[in-house]
Amino acid sequence: MKEITSFPKVSLGCFPTPFYKMENLSRKLDMSIYVKRDDLSGLAAGGNKTRKLEYVLADAMAQKCDTVITTGQAQSNHAVLTAVACRKVGLEPILVLKKRGVTGIKGNMLLNKIVDADVRFVDSDHYEDVYREMDLVAEEQEQKNRRPYQIPLGASVPLGCLGYAAGVIELFAQADQRGTRIDHIVCASGSGGTQAGLIVGAKILNKDTKIIGILTSPEQDFDKLVYNLALDTCKLLETDLNISKEDIILKEYIGPGYGLPSAEGTSAIKLVACTEGFLLDPVYTGKAFGGLLSLIREGYFKKNETIVFIHTGGLPALFAVDADYESKQELK
């Protein structure tokens, strides 16, 4: 098996990120709940994509590319972190985004503007159309004698998954220092790469911890997507870790749709802010934590079990909600 440390990466974040018990909420819910603060990963407004991009951009640089093309929706955390990371390492970012959600200059779109990212919108609900446009943009760049490198949605490719295989190893090292057992890890699952990496990393350590992905996107066959990403990451590591379809645990708490605030997510945002003093977002982490709370109410976890929530970032989305947000989901 190849060591994860044998793969080149560029330094983009501030690691290890904090890991601690959510004392107030644990008392309130009579559960043992911890948080891994990857929203404090240090690049721009932080988030989980920093770990992925360290490996993916290292590959782009190794291939002597000078331009990076990636995608997401208008307020994509991945897209803006890619743009900022590219600026840090001297690459040119081009963002081919779905023209969906808040496209005005606020939230992540404001951050894109600050770093002079080249933003192109595609008016379509289908990523097939977006990827076709990315191919055309790549051809355009090649005609200008540039060397483009394409990163799929969320950097959810085997190289990107390495970031979270390494991240969960970091997490267990922190837990071991505290003498904390981890029974469950809960994360938002939007493009699958974070969850797949967590599964692979836990398998490398021979842990039986359950990795629970809270679906934030209504993609079909998402369990197959995560499973295949985990298998492909194992191939990259040249290992035959025993990953089964039963290892892919997904719970659906999408609400009214991707990018649309849900009542459960909004309630979770306020609860965490008022008890623990940090912020979740309405697209990913709010819904994921809302899902975690629903699982607690449903009796999914045993009282003596320890849960770790991976805070994957997304803060700018709080400042890019639709104008009628409060009339639909009042913060009360």
Side-chain angles (χ1 to χ4, degrees):
M1 173 180 168
K2 282 187 176 181
E3 296 291 331
I4 296 176
T5 53
S6 70
F7 289 83
K9 69 175 186 176
V10 294
S11 179
L12 298 174
C14 302
F15 301 114
T17 54
F19 166 70
Y20 58 88
K21 188 172 185 179
M22 301 173 70
E23 297 284 358
N24 295 329
L25 199 54
S26 293
R27 283 193 297 271
K28 185 179 181 68
L29 299 175
D30 192 25
M31 296 291 296
S32 184
I33 309 173
Y34 287 71
V35 62
K36 177 67 166 160
R37 294 290 303 275
D38 271 10
D39 60 314
L40 300 178
S41 56
L43 186 69
N48 60 325
K49 302 305 188 292
T50 305
R51 292 188 188 272
K52 297 179 177 184
L53 289 166
E54 288 194 328
Y55 291 91
V56 175
L57 290 188
D59 185 52
M61 295 169 74
Q63 295 187 36
K64 308 297 183 185
C65 294
D66 53 25
T67 304
V68 170
I69 306 167
T70 196
T71 187
Q73 299 228 9
Q75 289 291 330
S76 167
N77 297 312
H78 161 69
V80 74
L81 283 175
T82 300
V84 173
C86 283
R87 290 304 187 201
K88 182 172 182 177
V89 300
L91 301 173
E92 191 70 26
I94 301 178
L95 310 179
V96 181
L97 307 178
K98 271 188 182 181
K99 196 174 184 180
R100 298 293 182 269
V102 179
T103 59
I105 306 302
K106 57 181 178 177
N108 280 326
M109 285 300 297
L110 174 60
L111 301 183
N112 289 332
K113 186 175 180 63
I114 288 171
V115 296
D116 290 327
D118 181 350
V119 177
R120 322 272 185 100
F121 283 117
V122 178
D123 191 3
S124 174
D125 290 319
H126 306 291
Y127 272 110
E128 292 87 350
D129 298 328
V130 176
Y131 285 126
R132 277 194 291 271
E133 183 62 24
M134 286 175 65
D135 289 338
L136 292 174
V137 172
E139 291 175 10
E140 166 202 300
Q141 294 300 303
E142 288 168 351
Q143 290 170 5
K144 295 179 179 178
N145 295 318
R146 300 189 66 83
R147 293 177 63 87
Y149 184 96
Q150 295 192 50
I151 301 177
L153 182 68
S156 288
V157 293
L159 266 178
C161 294
L162 284 186
Y164 266 91
V168 81
I169 292 171
E170 174 187 298
L171 168 61
F172 276 107
Q174 291 172 306
D176 289 345
Q177 288 177 350
R178 300 177 60 108
T180 300
R181 184 189 73 252
I182 301 176
D183 298 296
H184 303 272
I185 296 174
V186 178
C187 68
S189 205
S191 58
T194 297
Q195 185 179 1
L198 291 168
I199 291 168
V200 172
K203 289 288 184 179
I204 289 172
L205 295 176
N206 197 30
K207 301 289 186 179
D208 59 2
T209 301
K210 292 180 172 59
I211 314 297
I212 303 168
I214 305 296
L215 274 171
T216 59
S217 179
E219 299 291 333
Q220 293 183 341
D221 299 325
F222 201 90
D223 52 346
K224 184 177 179 181
L225 170 67
V226 176
Y227 178 65
N228 287 336
L229 276 171
L231 291 182
D232 289 344
T233 305
C234 288
K235 289 178 184 176
L236 187 65
L237 289 167
E238 297 180 5
T239 180
D240 56 354
L241 293 171
N242 182 28
I243 294 177
S244 70
K245 293 183 178 179
E246 286 68 36
D247 293 317
I248 315 303
I249 304 172
L250 290 164
K251 303 295 181 179
E252 187 172 321
Y253 293 96
I254 298 167
Y258 175 81
L260 299 175
S262 67
E264 294 81 3
T266 298
S267 177
I269 290 169
K270 186 167 184 179
L271 175 64
V272 170
C274 290
T275 56
E276 297 296 333
F278 63 85
L279 299 173
L280 305 174
D281 81 282
V283 179
Y284 295 104
T285 54
K287 289 184 179 182
F289 207 91
L292 188 161
L293 295 172
S294 293
L295 291 173
I296 290 174
R297 289 194 297 270
E298 294 162 10
Y300 182 86
F301 306 108
K302 297 176 182 176
K303 284 294 182 183
N304 64 340
E305 290 183 323
T306 297
I307 308 161
V308 176
F309 179 74
I310 308 293
H311 190 339
T312 51
L315 176 64
L318 272 175
F319 307 102
V321 292
D322 290 324
D324 61 349
Y325 171 67
E326 289 193 11
S327 66
K328 291 180 179 177
Q329 306 288 345
E330 291 188 2
L331 290 168
K332 64 179 182 179

